[in-house]
Structure formats: structure tokens, C-alpha cells
Amino acid sequence: MFRWFYISASRLVDDDADDVVRDIVEVSIARNRSLGVTGALLFTGRNFAQYLEGPPRGVDQLRHSISLDMRHENIRTIAEGEYAHPRFVTWSLAYLAPPQLLSSRAEELLIAAEHDGGVHVEILAQFLCDVTVKGRS
């Protein structure tokens, strides 16, 4: 199992952001499933955080595609490499756009994970797990 966890800045216009992200998720669910990759996407309105896990080749294909996507910029890897236990086994892509109450907490976690790494990366990953509804996509 390989994981790639990144944070990026959104380039989306506020008026269209929800529809654009919904389209990203729809396409990503099928693509991730075909590559055997699972994970979660967080969109705060200003930033994205995405956790991808699966076969190294599948994760690498997605990483390449994501790096070319003009809907965001300034992609920063906060964790990558072999990882023993999958977090999103039943999700080809869990998606969450936290309500206003959680958005500020999500932004705090993004900043801490990017700047302090280590345990903060794991706290952000656990936040993604905790706020997604357990299920299958």
C-alpha cells in the first residue's frame, strides 16, 4: 500500500466552486476505482487536501494527472510512501466540504500539517476519516 497526501490552493471562482468540485468527485470516483485507489478529498473553499492510497502505480498515475490540473496550484506533499494500514478501504473517493463551523478547523489542520508535519499529518488524516460518513462509493 502506497499513500500520497497533499495540500493545494484552489483556483476556483467561488460562484462555480461547488459545481466544479462535484464534477471532480464524480470523475474521480470512477477513475480511482479503476486504478484500485481509495482516499478522501477535502475542499475548504480556499484549499484542497487529498489523501490517496493504493497500488504505487495507481497513486502515481493520479499524482501526475493532479499535478497538471489547473483548478488548483501550489501542490505541497505532506506525506507519501509505503503505509501499512489503509484508511479509506470502502471509499474510492470520500468527499467532504465541511460546513462553515468545521471549515476553520479544517484550515487550522491544513496549516499545522503543512508546517509541522509528523503528528499533524496524522491528525489531519484522522479528521478526514472522522468527518466522512462510513460507506462505499
Side-chain angles (χ1 to χ4, degrees):
M1 168 86 41
F2 189 84
R3 74 174 178 169
W4 179 47
F5 197 4
Y6 74 87
I7 297 170
S8 66
S10 172
R11 297 179 81 191
L12 301 178
V13 177
D14 287 342
D15 296 342
D16 299 332
D18 289 338
D19 291 336
V20 171
V21 174
R22 206 174 356 262
D23 291 343
I24 290 169
V25 171
E26 188 175 313
V27 168
S28 297
I29 287 171
R31 184 164 187 209
N32 290 6
R33 188 176 292 132
S34 73
L35 294 170
V37 173
T38 58
L41 175 67
L42 168 69
F43 179 60
T44 67
R46 294 184 351 194
N47 292 290
F48 290 98
Q50 187 165 19
Y51 187 104
L52 296 169
E53 59 191 12
R57 184 173 174 192
V59 172
D60 191 52
Q61 283 181 345
L62 291 172
R63 182 180 192 154
H64 178 72
S65 176
I66 289 165
S67 70
L68 299 175
D69 192 323
M70 298 303 293
R71 294 172 286 199
H72 62 150
E73 61 189 357
N74 194 20
I75 299 170
R76 288 105 53 208
T77 297
I78 58 172
E80 68 180 316
E82 294 295 323
Y83 198 68
H85 96 268
R87 292 183 183 270
F88 298 96
V89 176
T90 61
W91 291 97
S92 50
L93 184 67
Y95 168 64
L96 49 139
Q100 190 62 30
L101 182 61
L102 287 179
S103 283
S104 61
R105 175 68 176 142
E107 286 289 345
E108 290 171 12
L109 293 172
L110 292 175
I111 291 166
E114 181 178 8
H115 295 291
D116 299 330
V119 70
H120 296 285
V121 169
E122 296 307 318
I123 291 170
L124 177 58
Q126 189 59 49
F127 174 81
L128 289 174
C129 289
D130 291 345
V131 296
T132 56
V133 176
K134 300 301 178 194
R136 191 175 291 278
S137 66

